[in-house]
Amino acid sequence: MNLQELTSSAKGLVKSFGLPRIIIGLFLLSLFITAPFVGVNIGTSLSDTFNRFGMNAVMVLAMVPMIHSGCGLNFGLPLGIIAGLLGATISLQVNIPGPTSFLLAILFATPFAVILGWGYGQLLNRVKGGEMMIATYVGFSSVAFMCIMWLLLPFNNPTMVWGYSGTGLRTTISTEGYYLHVLNDFLSIQLTDHLTIPTGMLLFFALLAFIIWAFLHTKTGTAMTAVGSNSVFARASGINVDKVRTLSVIMSTWLGAIGILVYQQSFGFIQLYMGPFYMALPAVSAILIGGASVNKASILNVVIGTFLFQGIVTMTPSVMNSMIHTDMSEVIRIVVSNGMILYALTRKTEVIR
C-alpha cells in the first residue's frame, strides 16, 4: 500500500468516526496519561469513569427510540425520570429491603412510564416539527408540578418523610438497606485496591441496549425508522405514523424511568423536587458527542458518547485540582460539563454514517 492509499484510508477513517470525537478522545487519553504524574490514582479514575458510564448510559439510551421515529432529542426526559422516582418511592414505602426493592421499583415505575409516555406522545403528535421545544417545557413543567406533589402524596415511611412534620418527602432519600449498589456489586471485579469494575451495572445496560437493538430490527422497529426517515413515504406505505411515534415516546419514557433507578442504586440517594430538572441535558449532549444527529442514532453512538462525556467530566476536575493544588473540582466540573453540553448542541446535525 502506497502513501496515497494510506492517506486516503486515514482520511476515510477520520471522516467515518468524526474529527470532533477523535479530538475529545485524544484529550481524554491525555488526561489519563497525565493523571499519574500529578498524583492522581489511575485505578480510582478508571473506576469512577466506569461507574459514571454505567450510571448514565441507560438515560442516554432513552434518546434512541425517539430519534429513530423522528421525534428528535428527548428533552422531556424528566418525565420518564419522574416515573422512575414514583416507582422508587413506592418501592421504599412498601418497605421490602434488599435487591427485591429494585425489582419492585421497576415494576411500580413501568405503568407510570407507560401512562405519562402515552400522554407525552399524544402531545408531540399535535406539534410535529416543534417537538424538541415543546419537550423542554414538558420536562420543566412536570418537575415543577411534582415539587408540589412530593409534599402532598400520602407517604409515611419514616426514612422518607420530613422528621419534624411526618408528612412530605425529603429532598434526598437514602437507598441504603434497600437497593444500594444492587447492580454495582453484582459480579463486580476488583482488579486492584482502587480499580473495581461494576460488572452488573454494565451487563444491565448491555441487556437493555441489546433489547433496543433487537427491537429496531423487527418489523415495528423498521417502521419506526421509516417514520423518522420520511413520514410521508411511511404513511403511503400503510404505517400508522402517530401510533409508531407514540410507541417510541413510551419506550423512551420507560428507559428514562429505568435509567434513573440505575443511577440511584449507584449514587445511593433518591433526589426529588428539582433533582431531575437538568438531567436531560447531559444525556442529550452525550449522544450528540457520540455522533448521533436529530434523526439518526445507534447503540454505538450511546456507548461512545457516554464514555467520552463522563470520562471528561470525571477526569478533568481531578487532574486540574492536582495540577493547580487547590480545590476547584465543582467549579471545573460545572464549566467542563456545560461547555460540552454547549459544544454538543451546536453540532447536533452531524452524523456518523
Side-chain angles (χ1 to χ4, degrees):
M1 184 178 290
N2 58 38
L3 182 60
Q4 186 176 359
E5 290 176 338
L6 280 173
T7 304
S8 178
S9 61
K11 286 182 179 179
L13 183 64
V14 169
K15 186 177 179 180
S16 64
F17 191 73
L19 184 60
R21 276 160 295 288
I22 292 176
I23 294 171
I24 294 172
L26 290 174
F27 178 62
L28 180 59
L29 180 62
S30 69
L31 289 174
F32 278 115
I33 294 172
T34 306
F37 296 100
V38 295
V40 176
N41 188 283
I42 192 68
T44 303
S45 300
L46 281 170
S47 185
D48 290 344
T49 301
F50 284 130
N51 273 312
R52 291 181 67 92
F53 173 87
M55 288 167 64
N56 292 275
V58 178
M59 285 188 280
V60 180
L61 182 66
M63 299 288 147
V64 174
M66 281 183 59
I67 291 175
H68 267 265
S69 69
C71 290
L73 299 160
N74 186 10
F75 285 95
L77 186 65
L79 200 64
I81 292 173
I82 285 170
L85 293 175
L86 285 167
T89 49
I90 295 173
S91 175
L92 267 64
Q93 175 68 22
V94 173
N95 203 23
I96 296 177
T100 306
S101 61
F102 184 73
L103 298 176
L104 286 174
I106 294 176
L107 183 65
F108 291 137
T110 298
F112 289 111
V114 172
I115 294 169
L116 293 175
W118 180 85
Y120 181 24
Q122 295 301 307
L123 176 62
L124 293 186
N125 283 337
R126 295 175 182 271
V127 293
K128 292 182 176 123
E131 291 95 342
M132 286 190 285
M133 179 175 289
I134 298 301
T136 303
Y137 286 104
V138 167
F140 287 171
S141 60
S142 61
V143 171
F145 174 74
M146 287 307 295
C147 285
I148 302 172
M149 297 307 297
W150 296 129
L151 293 171
L152 300 179
L153 292 172
F155 292 102
N156 57 21
N157 187 328
T159 63
M160 298 166 60
V161 297
W162 290 106
Y164 55 82
S165 63
T167 59
L169 293 175
R170 301 176 185 177
T171 306
T172 56
I173 302 168
S174 175
T175 58
E176 188 173 0
Y178 295 96
Y179 53 85
L180 176 64
H181 290 173
V182 64
L183 294 178
N184 286 49
D185 294 341
F186 180 70
L187 299 177
S188 63
I189 302 171
Q190 186 163 355
L191 298 177
T192 67
D193 292 339
H194 300 281
L195 176 56
T196 303
I197 308 296
T199 312
M201 190 159 52
L202 298 179
L203 287 175
F204 187 79
F205 163 70
L207 174 64
L208 291 177
F210 174 77
I211 290 172
I212 296 300
W213 176 85
F215 170 79
L216 292 175
H217 286 77
T218 63
K219 183 179 179 180
T220 306
T222 303
M224 188 176 291
T225 304
V227 169
S229 299
N230 191 324
S231 60
V232 176
F233 175 79
R235 187 177 287 108
S237 301
I239 298 172
N240 188 328
V241 173
D242 287 354
K243 184 178 179 180
V244 170
R245 282 166 57 95
T246 302
L247 175 61
S248 73
V249 176
I250 292 172
M251 291 175 62
S252 183
T253 305
W254 182 77
L255 285 170
I258 303 304
I260 195 60
L261 294 175
V262 175
Y263 186 96
Q264 291 164 1
Q265 63 83 34
S266 182
F267 185 61
F269 292 95
I270 300 170
Q271 296 175 294
L272 303 178
Y273 299 96
M274 299 303 289
F277 200 73
Y278 292 113
M279 294 197 77
L281 293 178
V284 169
S285 300
I287 198 164
L288 291 176
I289 287 171
S293 71
V294 293
N295 53 20
K296 185 178 178 66
S298 67
I299 305 300
L300 184 62
N301 297 147
V302 174
V303 174
I304 293 173
T306 307
F307 187 81
L308 289 178
F309 186 91
Q310 296 303 328
I312 295 291
V313 171
T314 302
M315 290 298 298
T316 305
S318 57
V319 172
M320 290 297 292
N321 276 354
S322 298
M323 290 178 67
I324 61 180
H325 301 289
T326 184
D327 186 12
M328 295 183 62
S329 58
E330 193 57 32
V331 175
I332 295 171
R333 193 185 305 278
I334 291 171
V335 170
V336 170
S337 60
N338 285 296
M340 292 189 70
I341 288 168
L342 178 63
Y343 164 80
L345 293 178
T346 57
R347 301 190 65 84
K348 63 181 183 295
T349 56
E350 186 178 339
V351 60
I352 292 179
R353 296 189 180 276

